[in-house]
Every structure is written in structure tokens, then in C-alpha cells.
Amino acid sequence: MSKKITFDYWEHLYSARTEHMVSSEIRDLLALSARPDIISFSGGLPEVRALSFQRLERYIRRIIKTDGDISLQYGTSDGYYPFKTKLIEVMKLEGLDVVEEDIVTTTGGQQAIDLLAKVFIDPGDTIITESPAYTGALNSFQSYEANIIGIPVDENGMDTSILEEKLKELDIKKIKVKFIYLVPNFSNPSGVTLNLKRRKKVLELAKKYKTIILEDNPYGMLRFQGKPIPTIKELDSMGDGHNVIYLSTLSKLFAPGFRIGWIVAPHPILEKIILGIQSTILCVSTFSQRIAYEYFSDPSWQENIEKFKGIYSKRRDVMLNTLEDSFPGGTEWSRPKGGFFIWLKLPDYLDTKEILADAVRNKVAFVPGSGFYADRRGENEARLAYCTESTERIEKGIKILAGIIKEKIKLYKSFK
Ligand SMILES: Cc1ncc(COP(=O)(O)O)c(C=O)c1O
């Protein structure tokens, strides 16, 4: 739909909250990158074509034939119980040991984040995130009017010495931190992974300063290099197990179209989340959960994960190699061991929004960095998603970007 600038008659009626509901740059760009002539490094779109559509068709036929009365009906607000037994098996592979009653299903990971924000954030409350952070989480936290403090990340994830200083400072000022939101594995957008030492440190700090960690883990199973690191939730379970809320999604393990995510949390928190579900959607789609139940009952789902990993690791390799071969000096990027994203840093005098305009004219898209910072810095940074395009198009697109960036650097130097 094309955007029309029109006078808004209802402006005087909107809630103050809408002022904090910022547009997601990713969403705007997704519209653009849907054009087949654009090589898109913008959205984190999984390779759903790797799934067997024939098999899915079989599951859906079977469901309608044998179980239509349940799968087309409303379900319970905490989620479809048989599907939760499957989630338990999935989480076991990540080292987590939970029972059905510890889980609530949601409409995607995004709703899980939004429900948690709704449950914990009053206007002006302080929360902590990685910096840069997942833009969908930032948008949600901003809509609840949180005071967002970003802690920088390096190649080992969130810098825990800066986190410690910040928590100390806030404690002295008697400012309570409602939660620390983290994507420890192959983070969106930075691609970096929080190492074990820092996972332990974040947990130790959360306990010391009596706050909660929201561990968002959509990409943990998509590791194609190195050994898995225990989740913070698993580390917490070795102790008293109160400080971590774990959330994840089937969007990258299966397909985002089903819109299924989930939350594992202490029971009093889950009760509040269920109330939130009741007042927003009543229940997650029973039909989607029923299909996901079939999918995860078939052992072939684990082969599909291997297939996904094979595809994404090849694409990552091509993107990294082409960056290495074609990008000019003074530029740097992260080297993810899994997941979907590479984080790019250009010299500070370059603005990735301006570069995007040139790139789109040359039929390449990516996401400029500022949308991943609550304070909108990161103007010389960008997120490149390698999950979506073929290796040939990745190579072509990165070379086009390299050419544009070299031109910009040359132009800048000619004026100096
Ligand atoms: C870190 C992170 N959390 C949550 C989500 C939301 O996922 P969904 O709503 O598709 O389950 C995403 C999507 O890209 C993500 O990268």
C-alpha cells in the first residue's frame, strides 16, 4: 500500500503511548526488499523453502481429518498442552530441563517480548539491553515508556564490566532495574555470542542487584561453528533458578508464518503473562500449535535443522569472504558462528542511511544501524542479514556495497 500524507482528524484522541510507538525501519525496508530485483540483506527471513511442503500438506490433511474439532477450536490461554511436550524435547537439546507447567506459548517471540514488557514496565522504569539491540524489543519497550539503558557489546557479547558499573551506579541512585534483556546466541543485530564467563557474570549481577534476565534465544540451535554454551537459564537452574525468564520462537527453527513463540518463567510470572494473553488474543492459534506438534513429532525436524545450518553457514561464508575481498580499509564487521546477521562498522564520517539510498538505487538493501539503538546512534553502522539471499546474489550485493562505500570514502577524502 502506498503511503499518503493526509490530515489526521483523530490526533487529539490518541493515547500518549502512541507517541512512543516508533516505526520499525526493518518493517519499512521489508516492504522494499520483497521486490525480487532487490538483493536484500535487510530482513532476517528464514529459508522456508528448505522445508518439505509435501510433508506439511500431509500433516495438515491429517489434522483436519482426525482432529478438526480440536484444532479449529479456541484453546487454553497457556498453550496447547501436547505441543508443550514437544517444546520440552526441543529445549532439552539446548540443555534445559522444564515441565509443561513452566511454559506458556505466545504468538511469536515478538509477542513474548511485548507481554513481558507489559507485565514489568511502568512508564519511566529502567531496563537494560545490549547496545545495539533487537529493534523489535526496543520498539516494544519504548511503547511502554521504558528508560532504556544500552550496554555496549564486543566480540564476546555484552560488556559485563560496563554492566556492573551501571548497575552499581543505578543502585546508589536507588533506581531499580526491572530486567536485563539479552540475546546471548548470535545476537540480532550484532551476530555476537555472550561467552560463558560473561553469562555467569550477568547472572551473578542479576542476583546481586535483584533483577531479572530476559534471555531471548531464537538462534541458539543454528550454531554452525564451535561448541554450544549453556544458556543462562540452565546456569540459573543450577542455583535457586529464580532470575531468568527464557523465551524463544519457532520462527527460525520451523517457519515464522505459524507465529509461535514461548516463555519459560517462574509460575507467578506466568500467571501474569496468561492474564496478558487473555486480554490480548485469548489464546495462541490452536491450528498453528497443532501443526507444530505434528512437525516436532516427526524426527525429520532435526534433519531440517541440519539442512538450515548448511544453507546459512554457506551464505555466511560467502558474505564474510566477499567482505574480506572487496571492502576497503577502515571498515570492520562481526564474525558470527551461527544465526543470521553480520554487524558492519564503517568509518565514523559515513552515514549508512545515505549509503542505503545509493544502495537501493543499485538494487541492494540492508538495515542502517541507528534503528538498533534506543538513542538512535550507530549512524555509521549497519546490519547485514545473510540468511535470505543465494550465495551468488550475496557476492554480487556485497561487491555493489563495497563499490558505493569506496566512492563515499574517496569523495570524503577529496574534500579534506
Ligand atoms: C532476537 C529476536 N527476538 C524475537 C524475534 C521475534 O520473532 P518472532 O516474532 O518471529 O517469533 C526476533 C525476530 O527476528 C529476533 O531476532
Side-chain angles (χ1 to χ4, degrees), residues 44 107-113 134 136-137 181-183 186-189 216-219 247-252 256 259-261 340-341 383:
T107 299
Q110 187 61 37
Q111 195 199 23
I113 293 169
Y134 168 50
Y181 170 78
L182 281 165
V183 184
F186 328 117
S187 189
N188 180 359
D216 186 5
N217 189 25
Y219 306 99
L247 55 134
S248 192
T249 169
L250 294 189
S251 290
K252 327 290 155 144
R259 308 305 302 128
I260 297 177
F340 283 7
F341 307 110
R383 190 189 76 178

Side-chain angles (χ1 to χ4, degrees), residues 287-299:
F287 193 54
S288 279
Q289 292 180 89
R290 183 70 181 78
I291 298 169
Y293 168 77
E294 288 289 324
Y295 181 79
F296 287 94
S297 298
D298 184 337

